[in-house]
Amino acid sequence: MNATFKFPIMFILFVVSGALASTEHEEKPPNILFIMSDDHAWQAISAYGSNRNVTPNIDRIADEGLVFDRYFVENSICAPSRAAILTGTFSHLHGIPTNAEEFDGTQPTFPAIAREAGYQTALVGKWHLKTEPVGFDYYERLVGQGPYYRPNMVRNGEKVVHDGYTTEVITDLAVDWLEEERDPEKPFVLMVQHKAPHRNWMPGGAHIDDLVDSDLPEPDTLFDDYAGRGTASTMQEMTIRDHLSKADLKLEMPEWMMRMTEEERATWDAAYRPRNEAFEAMDLEGDDLIRWKYQRYAKDYLRCIASVDDSVGVLLDAIDELGLAEDTVVIYTSDQGWYLGEHGWYDKRWMYEESFRTPMMVRWPGVIEPGRRTELLTQNIDLAPTFLEIVGAQSPDRMQGESLVPILTASSDEEVEDIGWRDALYYRYYESNGPHTVPKHQGVRTRRWKLIDFHEIGEVEMYDLENDPDEMRSIADDPEYASVRNRLESLLVELREEYDVPDDD
Ligand code: CA
């Protein structure tokens, strides 16, 4: 059959199955399986075109669902992003502008509202909001950031310790909950939140020896000298060249990080001792040393992601085997993006694309047209209103995001644009003088343009993302783009008004 005939038939099938799903939707709302990793770069997912790794299980969600190509965070660090996802609000409203504050769990969150609407709610893994989770029938959270091995956790208020590799422990706890604790009479929200691939990138399980015999491609901007921008990029402390510690590079491991059984310890030593001896023998310096550090860091990071990808496969298989897959919306995302050597960096924080843009994909059998992608501008504040629409509950007026359901159910971006969608996003980063010393900034991004106001240091940068996707040359002071700058500055004022952003920090 040729493509001209195939398309209309597939389209009709999709419309019919979509209509059936919406009938079922009224009878029993779907389950939500929300899988989030920590610091997962979109550059390290094959569904986003990675040239450095493959993620077959995450790609399965992409192939069977919808991939968001323009999904962003409101504040690119861990705790603020987690609070934004739970509450559907920007940092100035959810009260976690930096990693230092304590989350007020009494404010409206999507899991708590879903629970009131009759859902069974569960959370396993990283929480990182300082106060105990609220709105869950069951939770088992890591203490703080959590270690890579033998994690100490808090299960519904009680301390527990689990042997094993944390990514696998979290996966097993989630599967146990699905098999043993889930109430088959109720729909569920299950949030599975990995520590990996957060710093300091300790691999485990079957992946500790991945990539040993190959060299990864280097990003084009690994040796960026920041000459095309203002001074903000030169103020940071997140370079591969100068700021990775010996523990980050696995050259010296403090005992408190080595929470391992004797067998795991022996496996670790067998893997890293010869690699470190080979490194010492090479006596590298200058650019060669930077290249070696990049390889060491990026490979460990990708090994951690390989375990996260395995986890996604185990969870997808589990809902298949339990007969839940057809009634479950599956989401894969990260709490923000990440620099995998781009601009010479690791870490996040900036409004530059690598850390601002974040992976997000959704599978919803019978509703989402498989394999579709969207370039509409979406943000982590949109998730709570989306999940509440899926569960059939009302979003509180306080929530500032937009439900993504019109995007999930559409066949094209044009269809959504016809009914109206945002054309600009607001971003703000609040943590000055914190780790990595990135100056405070805010900004606006449209499909083509980005303006970043580094208000703390009185500098503005602007980029043409169409012609300069790596953001190597700021055009903020280029007279040719003065009218674009004026328009973006007006947009920034409008967005701040729309979202009630206070003048001070
Ligand atoms: Ca993070």
Side-chain angles (χ1 to χ4, degrees):
M1 190 183 284
N2 70 41
T4 11
F5 277 102
K6 204 170 169 182
F7 174 74
I9 289 169
M10 280 181 64
F11 180 73
I12 290 160
L13 287 174
F14 169 71
V15 170
V16 170
S17 61
L20 288 174
S22 61
T23 316
E24 284 164 20
H25 186 90
E26 283 154 25
E27 290 160 10
K28 186 175 183 280
N31 311 305
I32 294 177
L33 171 57
F34 176 80
I35 309 168
M36 181 162 72
S37 51
D38 191 336
D39 297 353
H40 192 169
W42 46 267
Q43 311 92 292
I45 293 178
S46 34
Y48 282 101
S50 171
N51 65 350
R52 290 174 273 188
N53 68 334
V54 287
T55 48
N57 295 297
I58 294 170
D59 288 6
R60 206 179 130 192
I61 301 174
D63 294 341
E64 296 168 5
L66 172 65
V67 176
F68 288 77
D69 280 318
R70 297 288 180 270
Y71 172 81
F72 299 86
V73 290
E74 55 94 30
N75 182 357
S76 184
I77 39 171
C78 304
S81 176
R82 285 155 200 275
I85 289 167
L86 290 167
T87 64
T89 68
F90 281 92
S91 292
H92 63 276
L93 262 196
H94 65 56
I96 313 287
T98 76
N99 275 342
E101 297 80 17
E102 291 190 352
F103 183 66
D104 173 7
T106 65
Q107 60 188 308
T109 65
F110 85 81
I113 295 169
R115 191 180 183 210
E116 281 165 22
Y119 270 67
Q120 190 184 18
T121 56
L123 167 105
V124 181
K126 185 168 171 180
W127 176 247
H128 198 234
L129 289 170
K130 291 195 162 77
T131 51
E132 290 303 305
V134 173
F136 296 95
D137 292 295
Y138 156 78
Y139 73 85
E140 192 148 355
R141 66 164 179 88
L142 292 170
V143 175
Q145 296 278 4
Y148 268 102
Y149 284 84
R150 202 165 166 265
N152 40 332
M153 301 183 79
V154 177
R155 181 190 173 102
N156 291 353
E158 301 285 319
K159 289 180 183 175
V160 285
V161 178
H162 296 283
D163 284 335
Y165 187 59
T166 300
T167 303
E168 294 173 349
V169 169
I170 290 169
T171 309
D172 291 347
L173 289 171
V175 172
D176 286 350
W177 184 84
L178 283 167
E179 290 177 349
E180 314 287 341
E181 308 291 330
R182 182 177 51 88
D183 178 350
E185 301 299 314
K186 288 182 175 180
F188 67 82
V189 172
L190 171 59
M191 302 179 78
V192 183
Q193 305 193 158
H194 286 295
K195 180 240 168 42
H198 191 277
R199 196 180 186 185
N200 67 333
W201 322 293
M202 291 174 70
H207 296 291
I208 203 163
D209 291 325
D210 286 5
L211 301 164
V212 275
D213 296 322
S214 59
D215 274 342
L216 297 168
E218 291 170 1
D220 292 340
T221 58
L222 180 61
F223 292 96
D224 188 357
D225 61 3
Y226 319 121
R229 268 167 288 195
T231 60
S233 305
T234 65
M235 296 169 67
Q236 45 65 39
E237 294 179 358
M238 56 169 75
T239 61
I240 287 173
R241 185 185 66 192
D242 294 327
H243 302 110
L244 288 172
S245 70
K246 287 195 167 177
D248 290 334
L249 294 165
K250 320 298 180 307
L251 294 170
E252 270 176 22
M253 295 295 288
E255 256 331 291
W256 65 266
M257 282 187 188
M258 303 295 280
R259 297 169 56 92
M260 297 171 176
T261 61
E262 274 182 39
E263 194 183 343
E264 286 165 340
R265 180 84 183 226
T267 305
W268 182 274
D269 288 342
Y272 283 93
R273 187 168 297 154
R275 293 175 204 172
N276 291 347
E277 284 168 2
F279 165 69
E280 298 294 344
M282 286 187 289
D283 201 21
L284 300 172
E285 53 183 44
D287 287 356
D288 290 339
L289 182 57
I290 295 171
R291 292 199 154 93
W292 180 87
K293 287 182 180 179
Y294 162 72
Q295 294 289 336
R296 168 60 63 97
Y297 146 65
K299 285 180 182 179
D300 282 339
Y301 177 91
L302 295 174
R303 290 167 183 139
C304 293
I305 285 172
S307 291
V308 171
D309 188 68
D310 287 350
S311 168
V312 171
V314 169
L315 292 165
L316 292 178
D317 287 349
I319 60 170
D320 278 344
E321 281 156 25
L322 291 164
L324 297 167
E326 292 302 308
D327 304 318
T328 302
V329 183
V330 180
I331 296 94
Y332 184 82
T333 190
S334 170
D335 60 346
Q336 45 5 247
W338 182 259
Y339 297 88
L340 194 50
E342 294 85 5
H343 306 295
W345 293 338
Y346 62 96
D347 212 71
K348 51 254 184 179
R349 298 165 201 278
W350 303 96
M351 198 191 170
Y352 302 129
E353 286 294 274
E354 289 82 356
S355 46
F356 180 32
R357 186 181 164 199
T358 299
M360 228 283 276
M361 54 189 75
V362 183
R363 185 182 80 173
W364 189 354
V367 174
I368 289 177
E369 197 173 352
R372 203 167 81 72
R373 303 184 82 103
T374 176
E375 293 196 346
L376 295 170
L377 295 172
T378 54
Q379 203 161 19
N380 57 351
I381 55 167
D382 298 332
L383 295 187
T386 305
F387 297 152
L388 289 178
E389 183 170 355
I390 290 172
V391 310
Q394 188 75 32
S395 286
D397 289 343
R398 177 180 193 268
M399 289 191 176
Q400 297 175 302
E402 302 292 330
S403 169
L404 302 172
V405 168
I407 301 178
L408 302 180
T409 55
S411 321
S412 68
D413 283 355
E414 292 71 30
E415 198 181 310
V416 183
E417 283 167 329
D418 284 347
I419 51 170
W421 193 254
R422 68 163 72 89
D423 52 15
L425 294 173
Y426 177 69
Y427 177 86
R428 184 148 186 164
Y429 177 73
Y430 291 82
E431 194 178 275
S432 174
N433 296 316
H436 307 293
T437 67
V438 170
K440 295 176 185 179
H441 57 287
Q442 61 179 336
V444 56
R445 189 204 196 277
T446 66
R447 288 284 276 270
R448 176 166 178 187
W449 308 99
K450 183 189 291 179
L451 180 131
I452 311 177
D453 170 19
F454 288 99
H455 52 286
E456 190 180 15
I457 56 170
E459 290 184 16
V460 173
E461 295 180 12
M462 193 172 96
Y463 297 95
D464 176 352
L465 299 165
E466 202 171 282
N467 291 309
D468 180 21
D470 291 333
E471 299 163 295
M472 295 296 280
R473 190 177 79 87
S474 172
I475 49 173
D477 298 318
D478 187 334
E480 195 185 326
Y481 298 97
S483 65
V484 179
R485 178 168 169 170
N486 282 340
R487 188 158 55 83
L488 292 174
E489 285 179 335
S490 304
L491 258 179
L492 186 57
V493 171
E494 284 169 30
L495 287 173
R496 288 175 51 100
E497 278 171 12
E498 180 184 341
Y499 295 128
D500 284 325
V501 183
D503 285 335
D504 57 13
D505 290 326

